[in-house]
Amino acid sequence: MRKFLALLFALLLCAATKVYAADTATVTVTVKDLPPKLQNRTVIVTLGNGPSDTESTVIVLDRLNNYTETVTIAPSEYYCAAAVQYDALGDYPLQEINQTTFLQVDDGNHYDLIYTLAGSSWYESVTGQQRHYTLQPLEVPPENYEPEPAQVGAYLTAPVGFSQHVIVYLQNLYTDDVYDLELYESNGLAAVEPNALSGKYAFLSACVVGDAENRYQFSCEQNELSTENGVYFHLTVTDTANPDREMSTPSRDQNSTVQAADSFNNRDTAAPQQPTVEPKTVSQPVNQQKKQLDQFSLLLDFMPVVLVGAVLFAVRRKRRH
């Protein structure tokens, strides 16, 4: 009876005791509407007790997690910041859609932080110009020009072992569109913009991401090209710190991305039919081989006759003796 009363008392005590939520909360961080030129880049989001907090919660967003991640943090007030990786100059500023800079996190609650591009970079908003290139004057297109889907590309000659991230800027001189091509070691230092428009293109500039000291210098083999002939700009990068490094050009003919672009741009151009060439018959070796086969077949045909004759000759000779 005493055990039963003790158990009942414990149950009543538990029922009367306020149950507190765990001292944690969850935050889902998402980056939306990234332009295609940033879809290969990583976004870093930090949640800390202030801009100088060295123990901030760091959230890495990229294509592997579809630019969204949920973390568990302790209740507190957090300073929220987001930036595109290797963008120290702030060319791609990010902002939370509700302009959340400080987030008050309470026990057991869930919060959403959604970041998008905040518009022009600081340099562009102040100077009215792009940091990495200067636009070329537009040209008057031909009378029959109509913009159609096309693909433009670039490939690189670089020092052996070059593994930097390169961005190449190309401008359509008919439509004024500018395309950013991103070249990596993993794509063979060759890249294609699949959503371009047909026309005449100019090479504006190229840069190595994070190269604040301008260690790498670029030169382009062609200043202007037309999509009618396939727009593939060939660039050479020089390492000014080691100018004598051995150079190499990954073969663009073996690059599947560039091959696909070639097929796309030439899809409406019928390839000229080549005359069918009948292979020449080399008669002498064939006749010699046939002759050898005929002789061998004839020998096989006579083998039984020879063997039978030899047996009969041996039998007769034995009888005589």
Side-chain angles (χ1 to χ4, degrees), residues 133-278:
Y133 58 83
T134 300
L135 291 174
Q136 298 297 316
L138 293 181
E139 297 185 7
V140 178
E143 294 182 359
N144 58 350
Y145 170 73
E146 292 184 3
E148 297 179 350
Q151 297 186 359
V152 295
Y155 65 105
L156 193 64
T157 293
V160 174
F162 181 83
S163 59
Q164 306 296 323
H165 176 189
V166 175
I167 301 180
V168 178
Y169 300 93
L170 305 178
Q171 177 188 359
N172 190 323
L173 297 178
Y174 295 161
T175 66
D176 204 27
D177 292 313
V178 176
Y179 300 101
D180 305 350
L181 306 181
E182 304 203 26
L183 285 66
Y184 304 89
E185 184 181 20
S186 60
N187 63 13
L189 299 181
V192 168
E193 170 52 59
N195 300 313
L197 293 176
S198 60
K200 186 176 181 180
Y201 279 83
F203 166 73
L204 296 181
S205 69
C207 65
V208 169
V209 175
D211 183 20
E213 298 179 356
N214 293 324
R215 169 179 172 178
Y216 298 99
Q217 301 295 322
F218 291 86
S219 61
C220 187
E221 192 175 283
Q222 313 91 349
N223 291 326
E224 297 179 353
L225 285 174
S226 172
T227 54
E228 295 179 359
N229 303 319
V231 185
Y232 302 108
F233 289 87
H234 178 207
L235 285 73
T236 299
V237 57
T238 303
D239 182 0
T240 59
N242 299 283
D244 297 330
R245 290 176 62 180
E246 181 183 355
M247 307 292 284
S248 68
T249 303
S251 175
R252 72 187 187 102
D253 295 331
Q254 298 177 1
N255 188 288
S256 59
T257 302
V258 177
Q259 284 183 340
D262 274 331
S263 300
F264 185 89
N265 289 342
N266 299 327
R267 65 193 184 283
D268 297 328
T269 304
Q273 294 183 353
Q274 299 293 333
T276 303
V277 179
E278 295 293 337

Side-chain angles (χ1 to χ4, degrees), residues 99-144:
Q99 298 185 357
T100 301
T101 302
F102 292 93
L103 178 65
Q104 180 62 50
V105 175
D106 297 324
D107 294 350
N109 290 344
H110 177 80
Y111 303 88
D112 290 298
L113 296 176
I114 302 175
Y115 288 91
T116 59
L117 283 180
S120 302
S121 66
W122 177 86
Y123 183 90
E124 184 180 358
S125 62
V126 172
T127 65
Q129 300 177 355
Q130 289 288 340
R131 182 190 306 278
H132 298 293
Y133 58 83
T134 300
L135 291 174
Q136 298 297 316
L138 293 181
E139 297 185 7
V140 178
E143 294 182 359
N144 58 350

